[in-house]
Amino acid sequence: MNLTVRYFAAFRELTGVEAETVNTDASSPSDLFNECAARHTGLQKFTSSMVAVNDEMAGWDSALSDGDEVLFFPPVAGG
Amino acid sequence: MNLTVRYFAAFRELTGVEAETVNTDASSPSDLFNECAARHTGLQKFTSSMVAVNDEMAGWDSALSDGDEVLFFPPVAGG
Amino acid sequence: MNPFEISRQAIDLAAFRERLLDRSCGAYVQFDGWVRDHNEGQQVLRLEYEVYEPLAVSEGQKILEEAKQQFGVSRACAIHRSGLLELSDVAVVVGVSSAHRGEAFDACRYIIDQAKIRLPIWKKEYYANGNAEWVNCQRCSEAGHDHEVLTARARR
Amino acid sequence: MNPFEISRQAIDLAAFRERLLDRSCGAYVQFDGWVRDHNEGQQVLRLEYEVYEPLAVSEGQKILEEAKQQFGVSRACAIHRSGLLELSDVAVVVGVSSAHRGEAFDACRYIIDQAKIRLPIWKKEYYANGNAEWVNCQRCSEAGHDHEVLTARARR
């Protein structure tokens, strides 16, 4: 399936990529992140990193479907 | 001894008096209040009424001296 | 300027906040007490604060100092109104600035809680039915004491 | 106007407060997050917020609704900045009005606590020594996790 992956803040700076399209069999955001981390040196999932799928917060073990947009968030720090 | 007594808010309205000079042998603000209540119909010490002597908060059982100014406060309600 | 003030005029909130600004602070918490249009089922038209100023100011300063000591906040100020107030007027404002937010919330709450039970300030509510009443302190109501209504006819 | 907003411009606090006014309310609590001149021993010159706006706005609204439901307050609004901020700028403001003060304090604190850990917002601090760093969420530090420093060279 084809997915769009977007990186934010520190993740964007670590990968040097804002968004990329990937063809993958990853069964979950967690799997997908590991695939991306293998490609992008330095990318690692920090404690309390979050993931959103199609603009909804999602679990790292949730299901993925063709065409999904997956957003990888490093630890947030609002306020 | 001679004391000045001042009444505030509801106490002033109940007694119709803002300040009065009294000659008394009252040994404490508590005694003094009872004397005043005997003179002023309707004056009664509500729970959490407070007393100040010479512009300092005081206990109802504290000592009184000639010339003291005793302030009787009904329950406060700031804010 | 005194950190605790009694004011006969409307409170200038922008000027008040200026006094709390501090570049070392990341958190600011402000509490406003507003004149509400009702109390215990009665429609309130306006109210009046009677303040015994000498003691209110010294006791108010003590409360602010206690808050700074206990919670380690950088700045704490408050202004309380006296006289006649209309609906939505600000009756009291408390501001606290500190490095972090936890202690700013705690200190602000401490100050307003203490102010309500310790300051020689009395509130008289004027109702739509023409009556007026001295309002009793929160502590009494919260402690479930008998309701002590001090009724007095409105003078105006 | 949306109760939760992301703003690229300086926050107009007077206009913000107007939106919380309510004659049935006796209490108003406001929290401001200010840009502080230091963090963990480093001198901070300015900072930058990156915000993923679609999700920050929807999640921000959820938090405000939760606060209204849980604490029964009348109104709750918040604005968070995005972009570059200077020292003493207001980074975030939360306002809550309610009949009584207890729930206004609790709701305000709930909103800012949740906002800091749930909203897709990231803060980059620019230091006096020329470095810049993405700051990690409070929850990590409070939970005592290993300090996760995401260092990046300043781009400007």
Side-chain angles (χ1 to χ4, degrees):
Chain A
M1 62 187 169
N2 289 305
L3 302 174
T4 304
V5 175
R6 291 178 65 181
Y7 300 100
F8 291 83
F11 284 168
R12 187 187 57 250
E13 294 190 357
L14 286 166
T15 61
V17 170
E18 187 158 330
E20 59 188 4
T21 308
V22 298
N23 184 279
T24 178
D25 293 322
S27 61
S28 68
S30 188
D31 280 357
L32 179 64
F33 191 94
N34 291 339
E35 283 182 20
C36 295
R39 257 193 338 270
H40 297 289
T41 318
L43 180 63
Q44 50 169 310
K45 200 166 86 188
F46 298 91
T47 327
S48 76
S49 291
M50 300 197 290
V51 61
V53 177
N54 303 328
D55 281 352
E56 294 276 354
M57 298 307 299
W60 286 100
D61 296 323
S62 56
L64 293 173
S65 309
D66 189 52
D68 278 352
E69 185 183 54
V70 181
L71 315 177
F72 287 137
F73 297 152
V76 301
Chain B
M1 61 188 170
N2 290 304
L3 302 174
T4 305
V5 175
R6 292 179 64 181
Y7 300 100
F8 292 83
F11 284 168
R12 188 188 56 250
E13 294 190 357
L14 286 166
T15 59
V17 170
E18 187 159 329
E20 60 190 3
T21 308
V22 297
N23 185 281
T24 176
D25 294 323
S27 61
S28 67
S30 189
D31 279 359
L32 178 64
F33 191 95
N34 291 338
E35 284 184 19
C36 295
R39 260 197 331 273
H40 297 289
T41 318
L43 180 64
Q44 51 169 309
K45 198 166 85 188
F46 298 92
T47 325
S48 76
S49 291
M50 300 195 292
V51 62
V53 178
N54 303 328
D55 281 353
E56 295 276 353
M57 299 306 300
W60 285 101
D61 296 324
S62 55
L64 293 174
S65 310
D66 188 53
D68 279 351
E69 185 183 55
V70 181
L71 316 177
F72 288 137
F73 297 152
V76 300
Chain C
M1 212 176 220
N2 200 308
F4 185 89
E5 286 173 47
I6 299 297
S7 172
R8 282 156 226 265
Q9 273 83 46
I11 296 170
D12 179 341
L13 290 171
F16 175 78
R17 193 172 172 284
E18 287 283 318
R19 295 165 54 191
L20 280 303
L21 290 179
D22 190 324
R23 288 199 160 188
S24 70
C25 291
Y28 174 66
V29 174
Q30 181 179 313
F31 171 81
D32 296 5
W34 292 345
V35 180
R36 196 167 80 225
D37 64 8
H38 65 282
N39 193 24
E40 297 184 11
Q42 296 249 49
Q43 196 190 335
V44 176
L45 298 183
R46 73 183 68 80
L47 58 79
E48 190 175 354
Y49 281 105
E50 177 173 334
V51 179
Y52 181 57
E53 205 164 323
L55 205 54
V57 168
S58 61
E59 195 74 5
Q61 286 187 50
K62 265 187 221 164
I63 294 171
L64 294 176
E65 276 309 311
E66 289 165 10
K68 287 168 74 173
Q69 293 289 323
Q70 285 180 39
F71 303 102
V73 298
S74 301
R75 302 191 191 197
C77 295
I79 303 176
H80 201 296
R81 283 292 311 277
S82 70
L84 276 172
L85 279 78
E86 304 294 326
L87 297 186
S88 298
D89 278 355
V90 176
V92 59
V93 61
V94 177
V96 173
S97 49
S98 68
H100 302 285
R101 70 188 185 283
E103 62 263 25
F105 274 107
D106 291 341
C108 189
R109 195 161 188 167
Y110 175 83
I111 294 164
I112 186 63
D113 285 352
Q114 292 294 309
K116 281 181 181 255
I117 57 175
R118 284 165 55 182
L119 300 185
I121 297 179
W122 302 272
K123 177 161 64 178
K124 191 177 194 171
E125 291 180 337
Y126 292 82
Y127 304 112
N129 65 8
N131 287 340
E133 216 167 80
W134 291 100
V135 177
N136 279 284
C137 80
Q138 204 85 5
R139 193 169 48 174
C140 307
S141 337
E142 282 168 4
H145 296 149
D146 288 334
H147 194 70
E148 307 168 328
V149 178
L150 310 176
T151 308
R153 296 297 307 171
R155 289 182 170 173
R156 38 198 312 282
Chain D
M1 211 177 220
N2 200 308
F4 184 89
E5 285 173 47
I6 298 297
S7 171
R8 282 157 226 265
Q9 272 84 46
I11 296 169
D12 179 341
L13 289 170
F16 175 78
R17 193 170 171 285
E18 287 283 317
R19 295 164 55 191
L20 279 303
L21 291 178
D22 190 325
R23 289 198 160 189
S24 70
C25 291
Y28 173 66
V29 175
Q30 181 180 311
F31 171 81
D32 297 6
W34 291 345
V35 180
R36 198 168 74 225
D37 63 8
H38 66 282
N39 192 23
E40 299 185 11
Q42 297 249 48
Q43 195 191 335
V44 176
L45 298 182
R46 73 185 66 81
L47 59 79
E48 189 175 355
Y49 281 106
E50 177 174 333
V51 179
Y52 182 58
E53 204 165 322
L55 204 53
V57 168
S58 61
E59 195 74 6
Q61 286 187 51
K62 266 188 222 166
I63 293 170
L64 294 176
E65 275 309 311
E66 288 164 12
K68 288 169 74 173
Q69 292 289 324
Q70 284 180 40
F71 303 100
V73 298
S74 301
R75 301 191 193 196
C77 294
I79 304 178
H80 200 295
R81 283 294 309 279
S82 70
L84 277 172
L85 279 78
E86 304 295 328
L87 298 185
S88 298
D89 278 355
V90 176
V92 59
V93 60
V94 177
V96 173
S97 48
S98 67
H100 302 286
R101 71 188 184 283
E103 62 261 25
F105 274 107
D106 290 342
C108 188
R109 195 161 188 167
Y110 176 82
I111 292 164
I112 186 62
D113 285 351
Q114 292 293 309
K116 282 181 179 258
I117 57 175
R118 282 165 57 182
L119 301 185
I121 297 180
W122 302 273
K123 176 160 65 175
K124 191 178 196 170
E125 291 180 338
Y126 291 83
Y127 304 111
N129 66 6
N131 287 339
E133 217 168 81
W134 291 100
V135 177
N136 280 284
C137 81
Q138 205 86 4
R139 190 167 52 173
C140 306
S141 338
E142 282 168 4
H145 295 149
D146 287 336
H147 194 67
E148 307 167 328
V149 177
L150 311 176
T151 308
R153 295 297 306 172
R155 287 180 173 176
R156 37 196 314 277

